[in-house]
């Protein structure tokens, strides 16, 4: 995972509220068995016309948006399906951070685990950012993760929340699985006092029920 | 006397392996369910790191999302879908995980087979790389959807890193009127609190109307918790839960059953325990509920009218409503009763269990599918299919002119070729009416199995209460 420390970028504005993960990447593109190459399907339903050509009205298709690394999203971003493909698609396009007032829980976790920073801002800051971008599409912001600060176009700063563990992992580019593996002895101790509730391996040798007669 | 706790807090506390200040808790997972879409990259991660699956016996895999429902043959699938299911087959073989593949007579939608096998039990923690894992909360289990990185974490360690969510009591009071179902209750809740209303929280459904629901209705209720933004939704286990579980293959037997019952009876929320948030809904005034927009919170009573964006003070909400009206090609103030429809889908982890099919059959019996309407009925599992066929429900559906399919997610997610054409209207018993969810350009109206069946036989949005009794 690529470490995230600070980032300065122009913004890609997408004011739609409640953008769900089906919009971020439609289900028809989930039939993959790896994580790479999903950037071309990001927002596919909005980004391409029915004939497959780029929709010139959609923000990602505007030439000046290419290379930007921060998505300024509407309220409640990433709801719906748990598909981590949504995060891989955003990263595949080049995004490294998303700003919103609220993120759906599963999306938020998925983002942190891949080094995509979800930046939660208050309503007022959120609306100001959209007004800035409306007035000048080329305004820049800086995300300062060590200090948990978002530096706004007018030079003022707002803080954003992130738990210290996730922050540490992002700053160092650490996979969170490493932390769990370190604590496996504790898991073993837990399992000693909490025997498994079920054992599905009996299914490996079970003879499946015979099919019902088909009329 | 210790501090009174909620159902959620009891399960949470019982599963925290370790918690370091500033870090999320390491939470132990009792049961991990797997399917073909969100697992391949997790298994690949294990291979790259030289790790094994820690507890294959607490893991079960099935195929549901990308498999065909018209029949069971690789020739019915595109090359990518074939590769995806073959990858799951190979991964399960390599790591020793039991799998119900698409030819297996135990196969079904992941959230249907867990409960029917008795794998889903009170007090457990259950995860799956699927947001509708909240379904299993109907048994008083803490069950939630996870991403693929977390699937890898659970495979490798049987644990997951979690920040403790807040609690949200959803109290349903009163008596549900005839023709109004658990699906209508959950749609009414989401319309009340909005699709983001439960973010950061776990719902606990309480109240007399919940107590009176049978297990399958409770599964429907918990299934759509995620559509209200809550990762999990729980119902305290009671005699209804225990009766349902008693004869299931994986339920504890003999003395172990008695011990389990004793444990499970201690799970319900203690008197005096408090929730971070709460809402109360009186179900005695509920009507069947349908959606008019492009998220499950955009819902109205079936006799109601679509709200007018001009009356919405928040400009962002107004814009969202306008966009929804444009996508659905509906007008503000429009009543949807009588609106023609093209397709009816009865299926999904929300509403494809035997009681759902019995309800639908009640409407189809002695009637025909309206001319020009396509109706797909997709049972939730092979077991549900066998049961429905034993009861003759399949004949009722087929004689009416509906298609009776093999189990799978089918047109709920439209990954397998079961999908709408652009512009078509579909009354669907599934859980999401997002743009393009049932096929690019498709327009979804979420409803109960009764309302969906009523639309199927009339060809238009119809109040099911006019067709029953």
């Amino acid at each position: 995972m690529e470490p995230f420390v600070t980032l300065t970028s122009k913004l890609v504005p997408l004011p739609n509220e409640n953008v769900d993960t089906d919009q971020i990447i439609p289900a028809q593109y989930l039939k993959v068995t790896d994580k790479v190459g999903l950037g071309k399907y990001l927002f596919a339903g909005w980004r391409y016309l029915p004939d497959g050509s780029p929709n010139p009205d959609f923000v990602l298709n505007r030439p000046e948006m290419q290379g930007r690394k921060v998505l300024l999203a509407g309220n409640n971003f990433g709801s719906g399906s748990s598909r981590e493909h949504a995060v891989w698609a955003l990263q595949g396009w080049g995004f490294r951070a998303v700003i919103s007032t609220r993120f759906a829980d599963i999306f938020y976790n998925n983002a942190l685990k891949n080094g995509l920073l979800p930046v939660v801002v208050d309503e007022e800051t959120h609306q100001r950012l959209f007004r800035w971008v409306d007035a000048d599409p080329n305004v820049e912001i800086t995300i300062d993760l060590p200090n948990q600060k978002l530096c706004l176009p007018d030079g003022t700063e707002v803080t954003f929340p992130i738990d210290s563990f996730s922050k540490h992992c992002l700053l160092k580019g650490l996979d969170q699985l490493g932390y769990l593996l370190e604590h496996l002895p504790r898991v073993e101790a837990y399992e000693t006092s909490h025997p498994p509730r079920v054992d599905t391996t009996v299914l490996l040798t079970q003879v499946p029920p015979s099919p019902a007669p088909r009329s | 006397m210790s501090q009174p706790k909620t159902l959620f807090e009891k399960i949470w506390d019982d599963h925290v392996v370790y918690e370091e200040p500033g870090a999320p808790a390491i939470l132990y997972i009792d049961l991990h369910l797997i399917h073909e879409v969100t697992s391949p990259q997790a298994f690949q991660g294990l291979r790259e790191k030289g790790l094994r699956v820690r507890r294959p016996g607490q893991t079960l895999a099935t195929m549901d999302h990308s498999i065909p429902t018209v029949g069971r043959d690789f020739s019915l699938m595109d090359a990518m879908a074939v590769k995806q299911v073959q990858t799951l087959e190979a991964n399960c073989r390599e790591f020793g995980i039991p799998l119900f593949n698409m030819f297996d007579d135990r196969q079904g939608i992941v959230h249907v087979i867990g409960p029917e096998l008795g794998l889903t039990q009170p007090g457990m923690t259950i995860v799956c790389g699927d947001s509708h894992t909240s379904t299993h909360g109907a048994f008083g289990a803490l069950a939630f959807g996870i991403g693929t990185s977390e699937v890898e974490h659970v495979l490798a360690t049987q644990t997951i890193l979690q920040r403790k969510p807040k609690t949200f009591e959803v109290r349903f009071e009163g008596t549900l009127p005839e023709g109004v179902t658990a699906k209508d209750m959950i749609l009414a809740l989401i319309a009340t609190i909005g699709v983001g209303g439960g973010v950061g929280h776990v719902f606990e459904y309480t109240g007399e109307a919940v107590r009176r629901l049978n297990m399958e209705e409770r599964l429907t209720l918990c299934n759509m918790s995620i559509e209200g933004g809550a990762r999990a939704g729980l119902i305290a286990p009671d005699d209804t839960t225990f009766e349902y579980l008693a004869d299931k293959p994986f339920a504890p037997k003999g003395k172990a059953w008695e011990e389990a019952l004793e444990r499970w009876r201690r799970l319900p929320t203690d008197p005096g325990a408090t929730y971070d948030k709460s809402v109360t809904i009186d179900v005695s005034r509920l009507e069947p509920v349908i959606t008019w927009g492009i998220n499950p919170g955009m819902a109205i009573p079936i006799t109601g009218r679509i709200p007018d964006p001009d009356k919405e003070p928040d400009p962002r909400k107004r814009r969202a409503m306008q966009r929804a009206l444009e996508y659905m090609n509906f007008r503000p103030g429009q009543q949807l009763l009588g609106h023609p429809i093209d397709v009816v889908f009865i299926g999904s982890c929300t509403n494809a269990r035997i009681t759902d099919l019995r309800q639908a059959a009640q409407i189809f019996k002695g009637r025909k599918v309206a001319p020009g309407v396509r109706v797909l009925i997709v049972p939730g599992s092979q077991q549900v299919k066998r049961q429905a066929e034993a009861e003759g429900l399949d004949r009722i559906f087929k004689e009416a002119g509906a298609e009776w399919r093999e189990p799978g997610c089918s047109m709920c997610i439209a990954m397998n070729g079961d999908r709408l054409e652009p512009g078509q209207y579909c009354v669907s018993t599934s859980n999401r009416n997002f743009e393009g969810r049932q096929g690019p350009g498709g327009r979804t109206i979420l409803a109960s199995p009764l309302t969906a069946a009523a639309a199927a036989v009339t060809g238009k949005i119809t109040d099911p209460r006019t067709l029953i009794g």
Side-chain angles (χ1 to χ4, degrees):
Chain A
M1 196 168 92
E2 193 185 342
F4 190 113
V5 184
T6 60
L7 175 69
T8 298
S9 174
K10 295 169 185 169
L11 299 162
V12 176
L14 185 72
N16 308 35
E17 287 206 331
N18 301 315
V19 170
D20 57 80
T21 54
D22 272 85
Q23 306 316 313
I24 300 174
I25 182 165
Q28 68 211 80
Y29 305 111
L30 305 184
K31 285 184 262 186
V32 293
T33 50
D34 52 22
K35 304 177 184 179
V36 294
L38 296 179
K40 59 179 175 290
Y41 307 125
L42 179 66
F43 299 119
W46 295 337
R47 193 166 149 199
Y48 304 106
L49 297 170
D51 69 358
S53 64
N55 174 1
D57 295 334
F58 186 62
V59 64
L60 281 194
N61 293 326
R62 304 211 310 249
E64 70 274 21
M65 294 296 156
Q66 310 313 307
R68 297 187 177 192
K69 297 188 183 314
V70 178
L71 179 68
L72 176 60
N75 290 325
N76 192 39
F77 187 77
S79 58
S81 155
S82 65
R83 59 189 71 164
E84 202 158 314
H85 309 67
V87 172
W88 302 331
L90 285 161
Q91 290 182 308
W93 192 82
F95 287 118
R96 299 214 57 213
V98 184
I99 301 174
S100 177
T101 50
R102 183 161 64 184
F103 293 92
D105 294 326
I106 306 178
F107 177 86
Y108 187 86
N109 286 345
N110 288 346
L112 288 175
K113 287 185 170 58
N114 287 276
L116 177 75
L117 181 64
V119 180
V120 179
V121 294
D122 60 85
E123 286 272 346
E124 194 198 327
T125 304
H126 192 237
Q127 295 190 26
R128 281 173 75 204
L129 279 166
F130 274 107
R131 283 200 297 272
W132 262 312
V133 178
D134 275 347
D136 176 6
N138 292 319
V139 291
E140 284 192 337
I141 52 102
T142 295
I143 298 166
D144 171 0
L145 179 59
N147 294 304
Q148 293 177 224
K149 280 188 176 146
L150 178 65
C151 311
L152 301 171
D154 65 353
T156 58
E157 293 175 338
V158 290
T159 58
F160 61 87
I162 184 167
D163 72 89
S164 54
F165 174 80
S166 299
K167 178 175 161 180
H168 171 77
C169 291
L170 285 168
L171 289 171
K172 303 282 182 200
L174 296 175
D175 184 339
Q176 297 186 7
L177 178 55
Y179 178 83
L180 290 173
L181 291 171
E182 269 173 40
H183 289 288
L184 272 183
R186 294 182 197 274
V187 179
E188 272 162 33
Y190 178 92
E191 286 174 334
T192 310
S193 56
H194 298 77
R197 307 285 176 98
V198 291
D199 179 9
T200 59
T201 52
V202 299
L203 296 166
L204 290 168
T205 50
Q206 186 190 70
V207 180
S210 51
R214 303 278 153 93
S215 52
Chain B
M1 172 88 191
S2 56
Q3 182 112 4
K5 285 184 184 180
T6 62
L7 166 63
F8 161 75
E9 285 161 341
K10 292 180 193 185
I11 304 174
W12 176 270
D13 290 350
D14 189 37
H15 287 83
V16 173
V17 171
Y18 181 61
E19 194 170 7
E20 214 172 354
I26 298 178
L27 196 70
Y28 194 78
I29 300 304
D30 292 316
L31 178 67
H32 186 194
L33 303 168
I34 286 175
H35 63 80
E36 72 274 26
V37 177
T38 56
S39 66
Q41 299 86 351
F43 284 109
Q44 189 53 31
L46 293 186
R47 267 190 294 271
E48 283 164 10
K49 298 177 184 86
L51 297 167
R52 61 186 180 89
V53 173
R54 181 172 172 76
R55 292 281 173 188
Q58 286 164 250
T59 314
L60 175 64
T62 189
M63 296 177 180
D64 53 9
H65 282 64
S66 54
I67 59 171
T69 59
V70 281
R72 292 295 200 233
D73 195 307
F74 289 127
S75 68
L76 299 165
M77 304 164 75
D78 65 39
M80 287 182 84
V82 170
K83 186 179 174 204
Q84 199 168 56
V85 300
Q86 288 178 338
T87 301
L88 181 62
E89 188 102 42
N91 284 332
C92 288
R93 204 178 309 121
E94 179 181 343
F95 291 97
I97 294 170
L99 163 71
F100 300 160
N101 71 19
M102 69 178 196
F103 306 106
D104 196 303
D105 275 288
R106 300 164 296 182
Q107 174 270 344
I109 302 175
V110 65
H111 309 307
V112 176
I113 62 173
E116 77 186 11
L117 286 168
L119 283 169
T120 302
Q121 296 173 15
M124 280 179 135
T125 49
I126 302 175
V127 295
C128 173
D130 189 288
S131 59
H132 292 111
T133 308
S134 58
T135 312
H136 306 263
F139 288 77
L142 175 60
F144 50 91
I146 57 176
T148 298
S149 294
E150 292 172 315
V151 170
E152 185 183 333
H153 296 182
V154 180
L155 288 172
T157 69
Q158 206 58 34
T159 65
I160 193 173
L161 281 162
Q162 283 298 296
R163 275 171 294 275
K164 188 176 181 178
K166 294 184 172 141
T167 54
F168 192 148
E169 181 187 24
V170 178
R171 176 169 284 276
F172 285 106
E173 286 178 343
T175 304
L176 210 52
E178 176 78 10
V180 186
T181 68
K183 181 63 162 285
D184 303 301
M185 288 166 66
I186 188 67
L187 286 173
L189 169 71
I190 303 163
T192 305
I193 64 167
V195 290
V199 168
H201 291 75
V202 163
F203 291 145
E204 183 182 339
Y205 299 103
T206 65
E208 51 182 317
V210 175
R211 287 292 130 221
R212 276 197 287 268
L213 295 178
N214 67 37
M215 280 319 291
E216 300 200 345
E217 293 168 321
R218 294 180 186 187
L219 287 161
T220 299
L221 193 62
C222 290
N223 172 274
M224 288 186 69
S225 302
I226 184 70
E227 311 314 333
R231 243 179 129 176
L234 295 96
I235 295 175
D238 58 13
D239 288 340
T240 305
T241 321
F242 308 143
E243 274 165 37
Y244 180 95
L245 256 175
D247 62 345
K248 298 289 179 286
F250 278 93
K253 302 283 183 289
K255 187 162 170 283
W257 171 258
E258 296 305 321
E259 285 167 2
L261 270 186
E262 203 180 306
R263 256 195 342 266
W264 296 341
R265 288 193 199 281
R266 289 198 297 266
L267 283 170
T269 295
D270 298 325
T274 54
Y275 301 87
D276 295 301
K277 246 170 137 174
S278 66
V279 66
T280 299
I281 291 177
D282 180 1
V283 303
S284 48
R285 287 197 293 267
L286 277 190
E287 287 187 17
V289 180
I290 53 172
T291 60
W292 60 268
I294 51 175
N295 73 48
M298 295 171 160
I300 50 172
I302 196 159
T303 62
R305 291 179 183 280
I306 295 176
D308 185 349
D310 288 343
K311 293 184 181 142
E312 170 57 54
D314 182 335
R316 288 165 305 179
K317 288 205 174 77
R318 190 158 63 233
R319 232 180 6 245
M321 289 166 74
Q322 283 159 345
R323 184 176 178 85
L325 288 172
E326 193 184 319
Y327 184 83
M328 296 299 288
N329 197 23
F330 289 151
R331 298 181 313 277
Q334 184 180 353
Q335 201 176 28
L336 290 180
L337 274 181
H339 193 283
I341 53 103
D342 305 291
V343 177
V344 168
F345 172 64
I346 296 176
S348 87
C349 57
T350 313
N351 280 126
R353 298 179 182 83
I354 191 67
T355 53
D356 298 313
L357 299 183
R358 285 179 192 146
Q359 285 196 339
Q362 188 189 341
I363 302 258
F364 279 105
K365 195 173 170 103
R367 295 190 175 96
K368 292 280 181 205
V369 168
V373 175
R374 181 179 178 211
V375 180
L376 272 76
I377 302 181
V378 185
S381 69
Q382 293 290 351
Q383 184 176 310
V384 171
K385 184 164 186 261
R386 280 191 295 274
Q387 176 73 28
E389 290 175 356
E391 295 179 19
L393 305 184
D394 60 319
R395 286 198 304 279
I396 294 173
F397 298 139
K398 286 187 280 196
E399 279 163 19
E403 298 173 38
W404 176 243
R405 296 290 192 91
E406 293 293 327
C409 301
S410 183
M411 207 188 264
C412 173
I413 187 163
M415 280 187 72
N416 71 337
D418 298 341
R419 63 164 178 261
L420 300 179
E421 297 302 321
Q424 282 188 322
Y425 287 99
C426 176
V427 178
S428 178
T429 68
S430 57
N431 39 58
R432 288 185 176 140
N433 52 341
F434 298 151
E435 289 178 48
R437 170 79 180 188
Q438 294 193 287
R443 294 162 173 155
T444 302
I445 296 162
L446 299 177
S448 74
L450 286 174
T451 306
V457 297
T458 58
K460 56 195 181 190
I461 308 275
T462 299
D463 188 337
R465 294 172 297 182
T466 61
L467 298 181
I468 49 180

